[in-house]
Amino acid sequence: MKKAIWSIVIIIAVIIGCKTKSTSGDSNSLNLVFESKSNSAVTGTATFKEKNGNVTFVAKIAGLKPGVHAIHIHEKSDCTAADGSSAGGHWNPTFKKHGRWGIGEYHRGDIGNFIADEKGNGTITLTTDEWCIGCEDATKNILGKGLIVHQGADDFISQPSGNAGARVACSAIIK
């Protein structure tokens, strides 16, 4: 009898443990490394972490010229071209005009600008519910796209890409 009760207790514990694990596991993450492009010495990393319907993006970049630089999600996870052009244009699954994130019209790939300090190091962070990692919504799914760091600043006006200059680093957004 005691053996049967312990068997039931163990089965219940396993069921509760599995259920708890599946609900607390509502997170997904990617860790990426940038490749230098356009004869630059730019390096860095980026992370995308999805939790509870929001994706937090953090990029840490080194080897830049001090000043303002743009970073965007591009259409393809292809970084093979020496100038990064194989990543295509900005990711724009909702067919909007290029602009500043969160103001008026903007591409889902229009992350924005960040500042590189006097040593050429910069960081940018963005949290949004407009992206997902591997979901079935093609207008939100960032997998299979490219992440590009540009030589200059995005002017948020020029169409279709913000006139941000050469692509100095690239990373494929893949698992």
Side-chain angles (χ1 to χ4, degrees), residues 34-57:
F34 284 103
E35 299 175 31
S36 299
K37 295 293 168 188
S38 302
N39 296 314
S40 79
V42 177
T43 60
T45 61
T47 59
F48 290 91
K49 292 184 182 178
E50 183 175 14
K51 188 165 184 171
N52 300 323
N54 287 303
V55 174
T56 298
F57 162 75

Side-chain angles (χ1 to χ4, degrees), residues 62 77 97 116:
S77 62
K97 289 182 180 179

Side-chain angles (χ1 to χ4, degrees), residues 2 28 119:
K2 286 183 181 181
N28 199 358
K119 293 181 180 178

Side-chain angles (χ1 to χ4, degrees), residues 11-141:
I11 291 170
I12 291 171
V14 167
I15 291 170
I16 290 171
C18 290
K19 184 170 177 108
T20 302
K21 187 172 184 171
S22 67
T23 56
S24 67
D26 185 26
S27 84
N28 199 358
S29 65
L30 296 171
N31 296 308
L32 310 175
V33 176
F34 284 103
E35 299 175 31
S36 299
K37 295 293 168 188
S38 302
N39 296 314
S40 79
V42 177
T43 60
T45 61
T47 59
F48 290 91
K49 292 184 182 178
E50 183 175 14
K51 188 165 184 171
N52 300 323
N54 287 303
V55 174
T56 298
F57 162 75
V58 178
K60 296 178 181 181
I61 299 132
L64 294 161
K65 291 182 180 173
V68 182
H69 299 271
I71 187 166
H72 302 112
I73 296 177
H74 284 247
E75 300 169 307
K76 302 172 192 167
S77 62
D78 184 351
C79 294
T80 57
D83 65 356
S85 61
S86 52
H90 289 187
W91 177 48
N92 186 16
T94 56
F95 307 101
K96 304 286 184 182
K97 289 182 180 179
H98 172 72
R100 185 182 305 260
W101 185 272
I103 301 172
E105 285 193 41
Y106 56 94
H107 302 156
R108 290 269 165 94
D110 287 342
I111 297 171
N113 291 331
F114 65 97
I115 297 173
D117 65 19
E118 67 281 349
K119 293 181 180 178
N121 300 317
T123 301
I124 185 168
T125 301
L126 174 71
T127 299
T128 182
D129 63 356
E130 294 188 43
W131 297 340
C132 64
I133 302 172
C135 70
E136 294 186 20
D137 184 344
T139 67
K140 293 176 78 170
N141 187 2

Side-chain angles (χ1 to χ4, degrees), residues 68-71 113 150-154 163-166 168:
V68 182
H69 299 271
I71 187 166
N113 291 331
H150 291 272
Q151 179 181 35
D154 187 328
N163 197 28
V168 294

